[in-house]
Amino acid sequence: MLSAIARQDKVEKLDSYHFDILIIGGGITGAGIALDARTRGLSVALIDMQDFSAGTSSRSTKLVHGGLRYLKQFEVKMVAEVGKERAIVYENAPHVTTPIQMLLPFYKKGTFGRTSTSIGLKVYDFLAGVKKEERRIMLSKDETLRLEPLLKEKSLLGGGLYTEYRTDDARLTIEVMKKADELGALCVNYVKMDNFFYHNGKVQGVQAKDLLMNKEISIQATHVINAAGPWVDEVRSKDSIENGKQLRLTKGVHIVLDRQRFPLKQAIYFDAPDGRMIFAIPRGDKAYIGTTDTVYEKNPIHPIASNDDVSYLIDNLNRQFPDHSFTFADVESTWAGVRPLIFEEGKDPSEISRKDEVWRSTSGLWSIAGGKLTGYRKMAETIVDEVMKEFDSTKQIASGTKHLSLSGGGVNGSTGLSSFLQQKKKEGQLHGLSEEESMELASYYGSNVDHVFSFYAFLNINNTSLPRIEAAKLAYSIQYEMCMKPQDFLIRRSGYGFFHLEKAWDLLSGVTEFLGDRLHYSPEQKETLKKEAESELTLLTQFKEGKFL
């Protein structure tokens, strides 16, 4: 299992074995590659210098979607491919993928009109192979306002309603990683690749450092895949960059508001005056709005939302919902993600293709960049197909991920989710949970919820200040999700940092103590980890201070 308690043993194995494939990068792409390669019988190691999904893969718009706006750029192939992948992701992980209806309002002199919206959504449905019951519906002005009364009424002509899939990107990534681990991949966070080593001029592994134990290790592999996201070029620079390809990093920012202040009923996709499209999406008692698209040239390890980023989103929110007069004070938290796109000369950030590309250096280093969260499985299949050609015929096995349930996805597909949740609602009550708590846990953890129930029922929490349910969640994250630091839990395993920041701050001390005791951290280590977590949580509202890194 992907246990934090067993992490040291995993590091020692990294230093002891020769792997078929070593993957650098523990975001959604790296996790997908690890899973795909294991379904074909290859031995796999994966490392990340941060926590799993700490980069772009926890900082997206949190949608498994086909990219409707890319039809405007005539990227038909990409829309068709990732559109079909939406349904695959949903069937394989229905507990972290929820169909939602997205409303696209259109106005006089707006980017879209009734005809263009109708045609565009119909083409989108066709390319993505959308099920009949989820295909687009065209609405009148009155029907549009009934769905979302907060919309600007002036010049409104109507709307188009179509289906997208909301997800939790960090949880999707960890569920992929856990499945890869279950099938035998050796995945370890907080291990930083320092340099490559070679045999006869070919990359044969890496020198790396376990950042938690301050230990140097060597990892040997027949093939090394660079899936480091925004750090792809940095990793390549340690080998060679000889094929002319390079990344263009762009930053996307989202802001979070409370729905008492912004009582949004319906997910909206609306156009801004500069031609960008912006999402406003309800999520529980919060709503989030995004995104921006600006060139980013700083270190991508801790991107933040600037005043300009937040102003841009607030201005467009006020333009679309003019009766509310939103200000900076309404923004509870933010997140900023850096997209690793393939550089295209002369194109603005929003014009750069989101297609993925695979290439290989003369030393044999594989690299993959670009792409979208939705297409992670297909991206993984594509690069592993290429790597497989280097092995003998006995290993020529096709990808086995198309119909493979992810960790937590064992609920009999999307059709079985409802009955599964009802069953777990009753079982949770037997452990002392309320109906609401049981449903919340089952919806979040899927078929892994029994482990959380067990921790809740049998956990000794006499020496912790954490609420029992939070202690159970944290214990599960430590035992099954390699949660090593307080921010791993508070931001990525739970999502509190993004959507319930005040709660994250309230839990910080208790989480630090509980996690530190489980992992045998010293008092000094606990204090260091707490300060590190405080810094990361502060970055989620950094714009309010006017301080920029």
Side-chain angles (χ1 to χ4, degrees), residues 223-242:
H223 294 276
V224 179
I225 299 178
N226 170 16
W231 294 272
V232 159
D233 278 353
E234 181 179 326
V235 171
R236 292 171 69 206
S237 70
K238 297 176 185 292
D239 176 49
S240 63
I241 301 180
E242 77 280 327

Side-chain angles (χ1 to χ4, degrees), residues 372-390:
K372 293 168 59 63
L373 176 76
T374 310
Y376 85 88
R377 191 200 68 84
K378 195 65 178 177
M379 289 169 63
E381 181 181 301
T382 298
I383 191 168
V384 179
D385 278 347
E386 291 299 311
V387 175
M388 291 296 290
K389 295 175 183 177
E390 302 294 313

Side-chain angles (χ1 to χ4, degrees), residues 13 107 185 220 293 315 320 360 362 431 438 445 492 533 544:
K13 289 178 181 177
Y107 292 81
Q220 301 179 65
D293 204 355
D315 288 347
Q320 187 63 47
R360 194 181 190 190
T362 54
H431 294 290
S438 301
Y445 294 99
R492 289 171 287 277
K544 291 186 176 181

Side-chain angles (χ1 to χ4, degrees), residues 69 72-73 109-111 270-278 291-294 308-309 311-313 315-316 319 348-351:
R69 76 182 182 90
K72 291 171 61 179
Q73 299 169 344
K109 299 182 180 180
T111 302
F270 62 94
D271 57 329
D274 62 0
R276 278 200 56 74
M277 298 296 296
I278 295 176
T291 180
T292 61
D293 204 355
T294 55
D308 287 345
D309 296 325
S311 291
Y312 172 84
L313 293 173
D315 288 347
N316 280 290
R319 189 175 288 110
D348 292 331
S350 294
E351 297 174 327

